[in-house]
Amino acid sequence: MKRRNFLLSGSASLATAGLTACGGGGGDYGQFDAALPETGALRSTGPVDAASGGAITAAPGESDVHAPSRAVKQAGTATPTASVRYPFGARLAPYSAGILPSQNVWTMDDLLRRQYDAWKAARVVPVGWIAPGGYAVQSSQWNTLTVSEAMGYGMLLTVLFAGHDPNARSIFDGLLAVVRARPAWAVTPHYAGGKYLMDWKLAANGSSMGQGWNALDGDLDIALALLMADKQWGSSGGWNYLQEAKNTIEAIKSWNVKADGTMEGLANRSHNRTSDYMTGHFRAFKAATGDGLWDKAVDRAYWLTNHLQNSFSAGVGLMPDFVMNADSGWPIPSTGYIGDGNDKEGYFWWNACRNPWRFASDYVLSGDWRIQQVTGRMIDFFQRTSGGDPMRIGTGYALDGRLLAGGNSGAYHGPICAGACTDARFQGFLDAMWNWNATHLTTGYYDSEIQLLSMVVASGNWWTPAGSFGSGGGTVTDGQQQTAPQQPAPAPAGGNVLANGDFASGMANWENWGNAWVAAGALNVGTGAGGAAQQVGGKLAAGTRYQLTGTANITGAGEGVYVGIKLMDQWGGVLVDQLQAVSSQSPTGVSISFTAPQGAASGYVFVWKNASGVVGVVDNLSLAPAGSGGTTSQPAPAAPATGGSELLVNGNFASGMGNWENWGNSWVSGGVLNVGTGAGGVAQNIAGKITAGRKYQVGITGHLTAPSEGVFVGVKLMNSWGGVLVEQLQLVNSLTPASASIAFTAPQGATSGYVFVWKNANGALALVQKLSLVAVG
């Protein structure tokens, strides 16, 4: 059986009529293969990272450790630099709805980075004979180089993993060069804008194999990736990404969209494909162009999916691959042979399997209840019929819910994982789906791209440029210069800068991040994941030392509730990022000290709690000066208390890496810890070295060899079941040796923990002369 047939639709008569081919992806490989063997076709020899062999595993020390699941509201694992504005792991676009897996973000991000590297090594190939510097995402078919669908996936992945992959932009540009070098030549005689659509299928030698027509899904992804590239890198380089995006969006509108917003992706323009109902893309296109047609496209997509579920899959909630008479008042599932050329087109098959991912990627950003509704029906079905066991989910279903094909596949299980992010009732199922995908990764074409993109959504790392276009905001044309935003004038240094920190006025002045309310004059965060935040940008005086205080508790035994502070520069680069966990069942004091850095343009104080069986209660939050501080962006370390002994072994690295666990890319040279240009760091276990109730200070002296986001020093303490009790980190980004420190009070119940150094991949080395941990009270 074929997974999805490539349809060479069209003929001489069809070409004369100017009709569009179906397009599509997948390939002629076995249906039940999850990890696909190579076929002897092109192999990558370009500048792609070789992936380590064996299974992808969690980073050392991170397995089964839970941090705030709403990753977008906590410290990410990367921060922007001048050249990459949205590095993978930064989570700068808060999800407006949905849930995340009960996983530590560092664990999830490390897994996804390594899987991206493995995917790139297996699938991205240089094709300089098509375009100088060109790249393609290789199909698994022996006679096929690529399809436009694959190129769209590749462009999305490279722009998403920028900041991790130092070659992301050059690979993205190489993919774009091939896209533009192979236009939909059969379209151009009928519509000149066809040159901004891609020929949907290329033979192994790079020649046209798809009769010159475009595939709508590939072009939709290419257009969105171009908008994301404009936000990621700006449009003043070799490619004007924003203009290229607008050209492709206009071409899609003119060739593939009806006036009422119905997609036209097939040779018969009354038929279409449900996996082309990419509502999140449509919203981004509207934001970029202001064209109201894309609002109609969102509405029409919802109407069609709701109609198909209610009329042909009532009580089940599935939808078919292809739809007939999609532009009418009574669309019906395909009776076969109108799209991919098989008799399964009216079933939930190898096209529609992507829909939970596509809809979830829209819902987490838009919060549109309609998208949640249609996605929830599908996930309810899979959760109910599988009993929550991913191994019982097959690879093809009739619309009445009958299982048509067994086996498991990342192309099904990845999207179901993303779809489960749309409602808190799926938390347990989401965790099971994440774990299945994390242990069943593949680099075979179609499965691997869909699985990885779905996991990006599920991990909180998805974003689109909707509402924020150009270099730093606004529409940027070629050559347009951006003016740096004005630094807000700081508020007077004295007094509590938080408004309504005692919650006497309910939620006034606080942004509800979900599941939060005020009762009896205290902030409550329910059993689901959620929290609240208050903006403090412009309210802090640079160089002044501040203290964030309050009380917190949880209503039963659980992971805890987090209180934190995060400050960013004008580009979103993290300058201060500290949080403290409270797992006490009686009100317990919270205290975080920091020095307000120069250049802080935005920031917030926040409360966050992961989904659990307890309620978090927070009250009397205050952010006020704690006394005069230094004038640099790094807090001046306090002097250790008299008699405080050093608790770290070999903190000056005189014995090389002795007593330090290498988290990757780290070595000692000349008595100095080096963390290379790739991502990496070190850690030392401090279990049994600290006493509950005592105050401690972690100190670092270090610097960078070139301007970059910086190197992180941190401390993390966990209880016996892995719940995080303390998690604080500080950033050093000086080019000369500088000191920074973190103060914390050792909590009750801490059974494990470590002091660590971490640096994300960038062009600088981190040099650390000394690390220390001493008692200060």
Side-chain angles (χ1 to χ4, degrees), residues 645-721:
S645 59
E646 175 60 57
L647 300 177
L648 294 181
V649 180
N650 190 33
N652 62 1
F653 301 99
S655 301
M657 291 289 287
N659 299 100
W660 291 95
E661 180 180 2
N662 193 331
W663 280 0
N665 201 31
S666 301
W667 66 94
V668 173
S669 176
V672 175
L673 173 68
N674 288 239
V675 183
T677 54
V682 300
Q684 187 169 140
N685 191 338
I686 58 173
K689 295 184 177 183
I690 57 175
T691 302
R694 292 202 70 181
K695 293 182 179 180
Y696 294 86
Q697 178 179 288
V698 176
I700 182 175
T701 301
H703 66 286
L704 303 173
T705 60
S708 75
E709 69 172 304
V711 58
F712 295 88
V713 61
V715 60
K716 190 167 187 176
L717 303 175
M718 288 80 69
N719 59 23
S720 59
W721 58 86

Side-chain angles (χ1 to χ4, degrees), residues 207-467:
S207 63
S208 175
M209 198 176 175
Q211 297 187 352
W213 302 109
N214 77 307
L216 178 54
D217 60 343
D219 286 322
L220 287 168
D221 279 338
I222 289 166
L224 180 65
L226 285 165
L227 291 177
M228 295 169 73
D230 172 64
K231 184 172 183 181
Q232 183 72 278
W233 299 300
S235 288
S236 59
W239 288 97
N240 185 334
Y241 301 123
L242 183 59
Q243 190 57 55
E244 293 294 331
K246 289 183 175 180
N247 292 342
T248 297
I249 292 168
E250 180 62 28
I252 293 170
K253 170 189 172 181
S254 299
W255 189 249
N256 290 123
V257 187
K258 291 183 179 291
D260 67 350
T262 302
M263 296 296 108
E264 299 178 327
L266 304 182
N268 184 323
R269 292 190 172 230
S270 290
H271 306 335
N272 66 21
R273 180 169 54 174
T274 60
S275 56
D276 292 340
Y277 302 169
M278 301 182 198
T279 52
H281 292 46
F282 304 159
R283 295 183 209 274
F285 299 167
K286 166 64 184 301
T289 66
D291 192 332
L293 175 66
W294 298 109
D295 289 332
K296 294 181 180 179
V298 171
D299 294 343
R300 185 64 179 170
Y302 168 70
W303 185 91
L304 284 163
T305 53
N306 188 53
H307 163 75
L308 291 164
Q309 287 179 322
N310 289 330
S311 301
F312 301 97
S313 191
V316 177
L318 300 180
M319 56 194 72
D321 271 14
F322 292 92
V323 183
M324 299 173 66
N325 307 320
D327 56 353
S328 72
W330 189 254
I332 64 173
S334 170
T335 56
Y337 302 96
I338 66 167
D340 274 358
N342 62 59
D343 62 356
K344 301 296 191 297
E345 294 175 354
Y347 300 145
F348 187 89
W349 205 241
W350 290 93
N351 286 284
C353 66
R354 299 175 287 186
N355 293 352
W357 152 51
R358 295 295 196 184
F359 296 150
S361 69
D362 176 21
Y363 175 70
V364 295
L365 297 180
S366 72
D368 189 331
W369 68 267
R370 300 172 299 175
I371 306 303
Q372 182 190 40
Q373 179 190 71
V374 296
T375 310
R377 290 169 182 161
M378 289 186 284
I379 305 305
D380 273 330
F381 166 77
F382 288 115
Q383 179 176 245
R384 182 178 67 253
T385 57
S386 69
D389 181 359
M391 294 300 293
R392 296 178 60 190
I393 297 173
T395 57
Y397 291 84
L399 297 191
D400 62 6
R402 286 177 294 119
L403 178 64
L404 301 178
N408 308 121
S409 166
Y412 277 76
H413 289 52
I416 292 170
C417 178
C421 293
T422 58
D423 199 292
R425 71 181 187 272
F426 301 132
Q427 184 70 63
F429 187 48
L430 168 60
D431 292 342
M433 294 306 303
W434 175 272
N435 291 335
W436 186 94
N437 281 281
T439 55
H440 292 80
L441 296 166
T442 177
T443 56
Y445 175 66
Y446 197 67
D447 293 62
S448 63
E449 291 82 4
I450 292 171
Q451 183 182 52
L452 183 52
L453 284 164
S454 296
M455 295 178 77
V456 166
V457 173
S459 70
N461 281 298
W462 177 248
W463 56 276
T464 72

Side-chain angles (χ1 to χ4, degrees), residues 345-618:
E345 294 175 354
Y347 300 145
F348 187 89
W349 205 241
W350 290 93
N351 286 284
C353 66
R354 299 175 287 186
N355 293 352
W357 152 51
R358 295 295 196 184
F359 296 150
S361 69
D362 176 21
Y363 175 70
V364 295
L365 297 180
S366 72
D368 189 331
W369 68 267
R370 300 172 299 175
I371 306 303
Q372 182 190 40
Q373 179 190 71
V374 296
T375 310
R377 290 169 182 161
M378 289 186 284
I379 305 305
D380 273 330
F381 166 77
F382 288 115
Q383 179 176 245
R384 182 178 67 253
T385 57
S386 69
D389 181 359
M391 294 300 293
R392 296 178 60 190
I393 297 173
T395 57
Y397 291 84
L399 297 191
D400 62 6
R402 286 177 294 119
L403 178 64
L404 301 178
N408 308 121
S409 166
Y412 277 76
H413 289 52
I416 292 170
C417 178
C421 293
T422 58
D423 199 292
R425 71 181 187 272
F426 301 132
Q427 184 70 63
F429 187 48
L430 168 60
D431 292 342
M433 294 306 303
W434 175 272
N435 291 335
W436 186 94
N437 281 281
T439 55
H440 292 80
L441 296 166
T442 177
T443 56
Y445 175 66
Y446 197 67
D447 293 62
S448 63
E449 291 82 4
I450 292 171
Q451 183 182 52
L452 183 52
L453 284 164
S454 296
M455 295 178 77
V456 166
V457 173
S459 70
N461 281 298
W462 177 248
W463 56 276
T464 72
S468 178
F469 289 88
S471 307
T475 300
V476 179
T477 56
D478 194 26
Q480 180 177 341
Q481 298 298 312
Q482 288 292 315
T483 302
Q486 293 291 317
Q487 180 75 11
N496 185 6
V497 301
L498 294 179
N500 189 33
D502 60 0
F503 301 98
S505 300
M507 291 291 291
N509 301 104
W510 291 91
E511 178 188 358
N512 193 329
W513 279 357
N515 200 31
W517 68 91
V518 172
L523 177 69
N524 286 239
V525 183
T527 55
Q534 185 171 143
Q535 297 295 323
V536 295
K539 296 182 179 181
L540 306 180
T544 299
R545 192 158 181 81
Y546 289 87
Q547 187 170 23
L548 173 62
T549 61
T551 62
N553 65 278
I554 53 178
T555 58
E559 167 187 353
V561 60
Y562 296 83
V563 177
I565 174 78
K566 189 168 186 175
L567 303 176
M568 288 80 70
D569 62 22
Q570 64 189 23
W571 306 112
V574 176
L575 302 176
V576 171
D577 197 348
Q578 296 190 38
L579 70 161
Q580 184 174 334
V582 175
S583 57
S584 170
Q585 295 180 44
S586 58
T588 301
V590 173
S591 180
I592 297 173
S593 298
F594 66 95
T595 298
Q598 296 287 342
S602 64
Y604 46 81
V605 168
F606 66 93
V607 173
W608 182 259
K609 191 187 74 64
N610 289 324
S612 63
V614 301
V615 174
V617 181
V618 177

